[in-house]
Amino acid sequence: MKNKEIFKEKDRKGQGGVEYVVLFTFTVAFFLIVVYVANEQLNIINKQQKLEQTKLAVKEIADAATQVYQQGAGARKIVNVVFPEGVSGDGIIINNSIHVIFEGTDIVYPLNFPISGSIPTSPGSHDISFVSYGSSVSIGVAEFSVSPSSISFSTCSNSSEQILTQTLTVENKMNTTNQINASVTWSNPGSTLSLSENNFTLNVSETKNVNVYLNVSPNTVGQFNGNIEFLSSGYSFIVPIYLNSQACGGISSNVSYILVETYNDSAYTIPTSSYSMSFLVNITTTGWLPNSNITLDLKDQGGTSMPGYPKLVQTDGSGVYSETWVPNGYSNYTVIANYSIYNVNYSFTVEPC
C-alpha cells in the first residue's frame, strides 16, 4: 500500500512537469507569434513611410520643373532631393511624366509641358538641376553648384572708369575631380566683364571662389546685361549679370554759380520768369518674382510706345519695380508689364488740374 502511494506521487510530479513544459512551449510560441506580427506591422509602417518619402521627392522634382518652366527661357534651379532605401533602377522620363520605382511600385508624376533628361534615384541625397528652354525643361544631375545664381551691379555714372567686383563660389558635387571652364558674354562693348580664373580643377567636395570684375567705362548710363557660363564635361551653369548705371548727379566741378534762363516757347525766343511745373507719373509694379527681369511698356491712346519704352527692368528683392515718368502731354496711357507667360496692363489718364 505504501509503495502504491509512492508511485502515485511520482505520477503527479511527472504530470506536473509535462504540463509545465507544454505551458512554457505555448508561451514561447505565442510570444514569437506576437513578435512576428509586430515586426510585420513595423515593416509595413516603415515601407509606407519610405513610399511617402519617395512620393514627396518626386513631387519636389515636378514642382521645381514647373517653377522654372513658368519663369521662362533661361530660368535655372538646383534642388536637393533625398530618396529612401527601396528606390531602385534609374528614374526615367516618358511622355512628359516622371517615373520612379520604389520596391516594385511605379510612382508617376505627369506634367503638362515637355521635359527631358534623367533622374538619379539611388538612395541618398542628390542635387538635381532644372533648366528652362522656354517651351521645355531639362532635368539632370548637378555636377557642380555656383552661388549666388545671379549678380546685379548698380552704380552712378562717373567721368572715370569704375571697377565693380563680386565673388562667385563654385563647389564640386561629383565624387571625382571636376574640370571647370568659364566664359563670359557682355552686351555693352564699352565695358568689360572678366573673371579672376577661367579654367580650374576642383577635387571632391572642393569649393573655389572666383572673382567677377566689371570695368565700367566713363560716362556709361543705362541698363546692360550679360552672363557667365561655367561648363564641365556634362553640365553647364549660367549666371546672369546685370548692370544699372544711372546719371545720379552730384559730379564735382569748379563752377561757382549757374545761370538759368527760362523761355515760354520752344524756339527759346520769348524770355519768361514763370513757367508751369512739370507733372510726374509714378509707375510701380508689384507681385513679381524677386530679382527678376520684366518687360515694361508704356503706350499712348493710339497704341504708340513712349520714348524709351518698351524696356527691360529688374525687380528688387521683394518683387517690386518703381520709376517716375514725365508725360509728353495730356492723354490716355496704358502701362503693360510682361514676364514669361504673365501679362498685366493698367490704363490711366493725364489731364489738366
Side-chain angles (χ1 to χ4, degrees), residues 95-112:
N95 296 327
N96 302 329
S97 296
I98 301 171
H99 294 253
V100 173
I101 298 177
F102 173 78
E103 294 191 0
T105 300
D106 188 11
I107 300 173
V108 182
Y109 202 114
L111 295 172
N112 58 0

Side-chain angles (χ1 to χ4, degrees), residues 182-205:
S183 60
V184 301
T185 58
W186 186 244
S187 63
N188 181 13
S191 302
T192 58
L193 179 66
S194 61
L195 304 175
S196 58
E197 291 186 69
N198 290 76
N199 305 282
F200 50 89
T201 300
L202 295 178
N203 295 320
V204 178
S205 301

Side-chain angles (χ1 to χ4, degrees), residues 28-41:
V28 171
F30 178 77
F31 176 76
L32 292 176
I33 292 173
V34 170
V35 170
Y36 174 79
V37 172
N39 188 58
E40 284 297 306
Q41 290 297 320

